Amino acid sequence: MKAAYIDGHGGNEVVHVGERPLPERTHGDVRLRLHAATLNRVDLYMRDSGAGITHRLPQIMGVDGAGVVDAVADDETQLAPGQRVLLHPGVACGRCEFCLRGDDVLCTRYQILGEHIDGTFAQYVSVPARNVVPLPGGWSFAEGAALGVNHLTAWRMLTTQAQLKAWETVLIFGIGGGVSLAGLQIAKALGARTLVTSRHAGKLERARALGADHGIDSSREDVAKAALAATGGRGVDVVLENVGEAAWPHALKSLVRGGRLVTCGATSGDQPGADLRRLFIRQLKVLGSTMGTVAELHQLLAFCQRHDVRPVIEQSFALDDVHAALSRLESSEQFGKIALTID
């Protein structure tokens, strides 16, 4: 089968498009013929170094994906060949204490497509049947693929971890990126007031068009002061951030007393100042979050259909043009998801 894979670490020179073995389908697995995948920051991380993530080279890239069912077990009753589906990228053991309590995203033997095992920048992938979810009618394959990482991550951050309420205000850092944009869409559908930041005025305008209540230009404004001004000096109830070290002090200073900061990334560094006095005097809560459970993906899909929330696809590239797609993501100029079409 045709796939995009890495055979080392560095830049685009280690990314190749060529033939890879067709994945074997063991009992209980479903093999999918993929038609779309989207790019995520972790794709750049795996290309650049993959440090700290157990993996073997060569490895097929790509975390999320959508396509049609190609092959299933004879006793499979819910999925059938030809059915349009999207996938959950995390493969859990189903037996550890975290899986047994329904928190499979904390599985002690968790494997994520495109990180620990071969991923979705390929014509075919094989995953457990529980990881395969029917694609809503009228959705494109790219929209379905995009749901499995960014929207799922934002959903868990806002609903499970931060428990955002309709009457609250949320500050979202780095609008235009996948998780941040998904967070805006979900927060608005929940009824919350949304403040967003960006260094690009054009991205702030596009975010306002999608419903953002207030934009903060972080290239010329102090984010914390602007967030306090926008809330009458009170501060925001929730901060959603995936930037890390560069955003951390502004995030903490933007919170109301008793507020919650939920984080899923550290692209600017992972060792920020703790600001412990502010943390305990104002009784702030810091919550970590990564991906989401299979159950949360089903909840998210139902929510998106009820509120007509769909991922924003900025641009699509052919699989052969994966270098150009990676370069576009690396530029940080995108607003929405970058997709790969796999034909």
Side-chain angles (χ1 to χ4, degrees):
M1 67 172 183
K2 189 177 183 179
Y5 61 94
I6 52 173
D7 63 359
H9 297 294
N12 277 344
E13 74 279 356
V14 304
V15 180
H16 309 279
V17 178
E19 291 297 316
R20 297 298 299 157
L22 190 71
E24 295 184 7
R25 187 193 66 78
T26 59
H27 184 74
D29 282 1
V30 174
R31 189 168 66 207
L32 305 183
R33 171 61 171 93
L34 293 165
H35 287 288
T38 70
L39 274 65
N40 296 280
R41 279 282 159 185
V42 73
D43 298 316
L44 295 175
Y45 185 77
M46 294 304 298
R47 181 202 66 180
D48 295 348
S49 73
I53 299 176
T54 302
H55 62 287
R56 293 187 298 177
L57 298 175
Q59 179 168 287
I60 297 172
M61 303 179 73
V63 183
D64 58 40
V68 298
V69 174
D70 178 65
V72 297
D74 292 337
D75 58 356
E76 172 61 45
T77 59
Q78 298 184 35
L79 298 167
Q83 186 175 356
R84 300 171 80 251
V85 294
L86 59 97
L87 59 80
H88 184 292
V91 180
C93 74
R95 295 183 176 182
C96 70
E97 64 171 295
F98 304 103
C99 287
L100 292 176
R101 75 185 191 194
D103 222 352
D104 48 86
V105 75
L106 295 177
C107 174
T108 58
R109 292 188 287 278
Y110 207 56
Q111 293 182 304
I112 298 176
L113 301 176
E115 294 187 39
H116 309 95
I117 53 179
D118 281 338
T120 57
F121 292 179
Q123 290 176 314
Y124 294 90
V125 70
S126 185
V127 295
R130 70 187 298 269
N131 287 66
V132 181
V133 180
L135 183 68
W139 280 44
S140 71
F141 287 118
E143 288 173 328
L147 207 70
V149 174
N150 289 164
H151 278 71
L152 180 59
T153 299
W155 176 257
R156 181 175 176 87
M157 291 175 78
L158 290 177
T159 64
T160 303
Q161 302 292 66
Q163 298 184 22
L164 179 67
K165 306 297 190 299
W167 55 85
E168 292 184 317
T169 299
V170 58
L171 171 63
I172 301 171
F173 278 82
I175 201 64
V179 172
S180 299
L181 195 51
L184 169 62
Q185 291 180 297
I186 292 168
K188 289 305 299 180
L190 288 169
R193 184 180 181 220
T194 54
L195 282 59
V196 300
T197 81
S198 177
R199 292 172 296 175
H200 306 278
K203 290 186 179 184
L204 293 175
E205 284 302 313
R206 295 183 69 177
R208 291 188 189 95
L210 287 174
D213 295 290
H214 185 78
I216 300 172
D217 187 339
S218 55
S219 70
R220 59 182 184 84
E221 294 181 83
D222 182 295
V223 172
K225 289 181 179 179
L228 289 171
T231 56
R234 176 181 179 273
V236 302
D237 300 282
V238 172
V239 168
L240 182 152
E241 83 88 22
N242 54 19
V243 178
E245 197 167 316
W248 196 261
H250 307 288
L252 290 181
K253 292 175 183 177
S254 299
L255 283 167
V256 69
R257 293 172 181 269
R260 295 98 72 197
L261 185 158
V262 59
T263 180
C264 72
T267 55
S268 67
D270 61 359
Q271 299 295 321
D275 199 358
L276 289 178
R277 288 190 183 90
R278 180 179 298 274
L279 201 65
F280 63 71
I281 290 173
R282 292 177 174 263
Q283 301 193 39
L284 306 177
K285 299 176 181 66
V286 176
L287 305 160
S289 195
T290 301
M291 295 280 289
T293 66
V294 172
E296 285 169 331
L297 179 57
H298 284 275
Q299 295 164 8
L300 168 64
L301 193 57
F303 178 87
C304 287
Q305 291 178 277
R306 186 176 308 119
H307 295 280
D308 194 26
V309 172
R310 293 196 189 191
V312 176
I313 307 299
E314 188 218 45
Q315 192 172 358
S316 292
F317 294 83
L319 182 61
D320 285 331
D321 297 325
V322 64
H323 284 185
L326 289 166
S327 295
R328 176 63 179 169
L329 178 64
E330 196 167 23
S331 75
S332 297
E333 295 294 324
Q334 83 282 357
F335 187 90
K337 294 296 290 180
I338 298 168
L340 287 180
T341 55
I342 307 168
D343 296 321

